[in-house]
Amino acid sequence: MDQGRDFALTQMRKSIENLGSSAEGYGDPSMMRFLIARSMEVDKAAKMFVQWERWRAAMVPNGFISDSEIPDELEARKIFLQGLSQDKYPVLIVQACRHFPSKDQIQFKKYVVYLLDKTIASAFKGREIGNEKLIGVLDLQKISYQNIDARGLITGFQCLQAYYPERLAKCYILHMPWFFVTVWKLVSRFLEKATLEKIVIVTKEAERREFIREVGEEVLPEEYGGKAKLVAIQDVELAPLQNGATN
């Protein structure tokens, strides 16, 4: 790591302390995610980190979201966790045709945390480093107007941007119907440029082949051109991602 980054990391830790918090126990890779998300501006990155710590303590007081806290969302079996891509990123698949706008927004937000935490935890090789990323796949095949949930999409992406900086490697959107284009334009207005640059709307055959290549046939389910079976996220057994130190 170059001297400029070392200096920024040192200053960020001091800035976090000045804000009345602490980065003790968090390694440089964790700190760097926040710095990169805030264009290496130390004070902004420190503020983002402190906001994350406070959000995490309030949103996930037990350290993780248990299945018992999100029964309605899990019942739909709409999220799948498929293993690691060619670049060793965990692959999360969302089948939007199984989703309906939630009547319980608190439970839905906990569900978003649950699926992001579990996906990231599946990337660990024994221990969290702090820079693990994920690949998201949003499948819009067979959706109807009843499945459309702009609010839910915005909530999910905003949570990712605010509290999971630099965790998204890439997001693929498959089978987007014509009537969803207007919805996506609305959702896009709430996304940061850095997030939008990681989103690929797959429409051409060349894009589909690249999607299969990047994810990998051994991980990608048969429905998407691979050789694997769909695995519902609640059926994947993992040690949960906990609050607190990563080192």
Side-chain angles (χ1 to χ4, degrees):
M1 190 172 291
D2 60 42
Q3 290 182 341
R5 288 194 171 190
D6 283 342
F7 180 75
L9 286 164
T10 300
Q11 293 303 113
M12 181 180 171
R13 291 181 185 278
K14 290 180 180 178
S15 184
I16 289 170
E17 290 179 4
N18 290 337
L19 291 170
S21 191
S22 171
E24 184 179 354
Y26 291 94
D28 290 348
S30 294
M31 299 289 101
M32 279 304 305
R33 288 192 295 106
F34 290 87
L35 278 165
I36 292 170
R38 289 297 175 262
S39 304
M40 300 302 291
E41 294 189 36
V42 170
D43 289 340
K44 289 184 178 180
K47 183 178 179 181
M48 186 183 191
F49 180 85
V50 171
Q51 288 174 336
W52 167 77
E53 278 194 314
R54 292 171 180 170
W55 166 83
R56 189 84 196 175
M59 186 69 179
V60 198
N62 296 323
F64 63 95
I65 303 295
S66 66
D67 289 16
S68 62
E69 295 178 75
I70 48 173
D72 298 338
E73 298 296 335
L74 289 176
E75 185 179 6
R77 298 181 74 82
K78 56 192 172 184
I79 306 285
F80 305 88
L81 187 54
Q82 294 300 131
L84 302 182
S85 72
Q86 294 297 299
D87 291 326
K88 307 304 179 186
Y89 300 139
V91 178
L92 179 77
I93 297 176
V94 181
Q95 290 193 338
C97 65
R98 298 171 180 250
H99 172 77
F100 297 92
S102 178
K103 297 177 181 178
D104 184 344
Q105 283 300 303
I106 294 176
Q107 183 178 156
F108 180 74
K109 289 178 180 178
K110 287 185 177 182
Y111 183 59
V112 171
V113 174
Y114 168 92
L115 65 91
L116 290 174
D117 279 4
K118 195 163 187 178
T119 302
I120 292 165
S122 72
F124 296 172
K125 295 179 180 179
R127 191 171 202 173
E128 182 182 8
I129 295 173
N131 59 359
E132 293 83 1
K133 295 179 183 289
L134 63 90
I135 289 177
V137 180
L138 176 58
D139 179 12
L140 300 175
Q141 191 170 35
K142 297 181 181 179
I143 66 167
S144 67
Y145 287 103
Q146 290 180 316
N147 303 122
I148 292 177
D149 185 10
R151 180 182 181 182
L153 268 176
I154 292 168
T155 296
F157 276 112
Q158 286 187 329
C159 181
L160 191 64
Q161 291 175 161
Y163 305 119
Y164 295 83
E166 293 300 305
R167 288 295 201 184
L168 181 66
K170 193 167 285 187
C171 176
Y172 293 96
I173 300 180
L174 312 179
H175 308 118
M176 184 182 287
W178 63 268
F179 61 82
F180 195 83
V181 173
T182 302
V183 178
W184 181 247
K185 287 181 179 178
L186 170 64
V187 172
S188 297
R189 290 167 53 189
F190 293 86
L191 305 189
E192 298 172 359
K193 181 182 177 182
T195 302
L196 286 169
E197 290 174 347
K198 297 173 183 177
I199 296 173
V200 178
I201 300 175
V202 178
T203 57
K204 301 176 182 177
E205 180 59 25
E207 293 170 335
R208 191 185 76 84
R209 288 197 299 268
E210 181 64 12
F211 160 66
I212 294 173
R213 187 195 67 78
E214 286 200 13
V215 174
E217 290 185 351
E218 299 303 318
V219 170
L220 202 60
E222 295 170 350
E223 292 90 329
Y224 304 101
K227 300 177 181 179
K229 300 293 184 182
L230 283 167
V231 182
I233 192 167
Q234 60 263 48
D235 294 340
V236 178
E237 294 186 8
L238 290 169
L241 179 65
Q242 298 277 352
N243 282 351
T246 56
N247 283 1

